[in-house]
Amino acid sequence: MEWLDACTSAPQFAPMLVASVVAIVGGIMMVTRRDVVRGALWLVLTLVAVAVLYATLAADLLAMVQVIVYAGAIMVLFLFVIILLAAGREPLALGQPGWEGVAAPALGLVLLVVLAASVATSGLWRVSAHGQTVAAPFPDEVGQALFSGSHALAVELISVLLVVAMIGVIVLAKGLRAERGH
Amino acid sequence: MVPSEPYMLVSALLFTIGLVGFCCRRDVLVMLMCVELMLTSANIVFVTAGRGLASADGQVIAFFVIALAAAEVAVGLALVVSVFHNRRSVDADAVTDLKG
């Protein structure tokens, strides 16, 4: 396995390893906590660790967006809703009853084996495995690719999607208020 | 630089954790958080492949995924709140009929 040798000689390997372990531990803790608030806080830790992974991949802009949007805005929204709904409520039991509780982890194990085998055999990422340095795109290149060229239409469509989602949320909240009025 | 394989393996592990959590947990809020974990693990693959191919497209797609995740969370949480006000529960098994 030549990529293992390339790993240990890279200066970014130590932070990458620490961030990976933190992300995976945070994910496992998120799934196994019965208390939803604790689970959400473990997920925040995982998302920050993934931001560190982005930084070791030389994706600086994405690392910052990950912290601000994902670990910041989205998780704050989650915590607000959890506080709104879960206050004084007994947390649900862990796991599914019956055969589903056994089948899901078994299926997950099968998926993990398939994914690991495809990583080991695929040639798509061989480019960087030989230790040669590929120039990672700079933040200004990412901005150029986003707002000019072939992705400009997709950016506009995403903004339309965000507006549609916002209108949908407003309609759902209005329906709640109308129901409560009766 | 660190080769791509360890990043891919981390992403595979995170995706598996998210999928198993989504199947095993009954709390809708935890299921939504597991979806977030799976989307994030897919983002790691996009960024890693983009670096391997020396292209900015990987990071551009990751930006799109983050924007989609934000929209999905907003609508999903609004639905959870709406269901909670009707059923007084966030158990996914409590909502089994269409008429309601």
Side-chain angles (χ1 to χ4, degrees):
Chain A
M1 296 248 232
E2 53 183 325
W3 57 272
L4 275 179
D5 303 329
C7 274
T8 42
S9 60
Q12 298 100 332
F13 185 57
M16 184 266 166
L17 197 65
V18 173
S20 309
V21 171
V22 170
I24 290 164
V25 168
I28 292 173
M29 294 298 269
M30 187 268 283
V31 170
T32 52
R33 289 312 92 179
R34 241 185 106 190
D35 190 4
V36 192
V37 182
R38 298 227 172 111
L41 292 176
W42 280 109
L43 184 59
V44 172
L45 183 71
T46 297
L47 294 175
V48 171
V50 170
V52 174
L53 279 183
Y54 290 155
T56 64
L57 281 166
D60 307 345
L61 186 62
L62 200 61
M64 282 180 250
V65 168
Q66 172 85 7
V67 171
I68 295 169
V69 177
Y70 240 122
I74 293 184
M75 290 317 292
V76 164
L77 194 63
F78 259 109
L79 283 169
F80 265 122
V81 172
I82 290 169
I83 290 164
L84 188 71
L85 299 186
R89 179 172 64 82
E90 189 66 15
L92 292 172
L94 270 181
Q96 294 278 4
W99 61 273
E100 289 165 321
V102 187
L107 214 64
L109 202 65
V110 172
L111 176 76
L112 187 63
V113 169
V114 170
L115 286 177
S118 67
V119 168
T121 54
S122 169
L124 178 62
W125 14 90
R126 273 300 128 71
V127 195
S128 52
H130 297 292
Q132 73 198 48
T133 45
V134 181
F138 282 110
D140 57 341
E141 285 176 48
V142 178
Q144 291 278 349
L146 260 177
F147 291 110
S148 63
S150 52
H151 297 298
L153 177 67
V155 171
E156 297 304 321
L157 286 177
I158 288 277
S159 67
V160 172
L161 177 97
L162 284 172
V163 172
V164 169
M166 198 172 70
I167 294 171
V169 171
I170 291 170
V171 168
L172 280 170
K174 281 251 179 202
L176 271 185
R177 196 173 304 162
E179 261 176 45
R180 213 179 296 162
H182 279 298
Chain B
M1 68 196 284
V2 183
S4 301
E5 279 90 345
Y7 289 103
M8 298 294 177
L9 289 177
V10 170
S11 167
L13 260 169
L14 285 177
F15 190 90
T16 310
I17 293 168
L19 186 74
V20 171
F22 185 84
C23 294
C24 282
R25 295 298 299 263
R26 297 161 62 187
D27 197 317
V28 185
L29 290 164
V30 180
M31 289 166 78
L32 273 176
M33 289 198 281
C34 289
V35 172
E36 295 307 303
L37 193 59
M38 288 192 274
L39 287 171
T40 306
S41 76
N43 265 352
I44 298 175
V45 173
F46 276 125
V47 177
T48 309
R51 186 194 66 163
L53 304 169
S55 151
D57 286 355
Q59 292 188 41
V60 169
I61 302 287
F63 274 110
F64 290 161
V65 172
I66 288 179
L68 285 172
E72 172 249 322
V73 162
V75 176
L77 288 178
L79 284 172
V80 172
V81 172
S82 167
V83 167
F84 182 80
H85 275 272
N86 281 329
R87 303 289 169 107
R88 292 278 139 201
S89 171
V90 287
D91 192 345
D93 294 340
V95 193
T96 48
D97 50 329
L98 281 174
K99 248 196 247 175

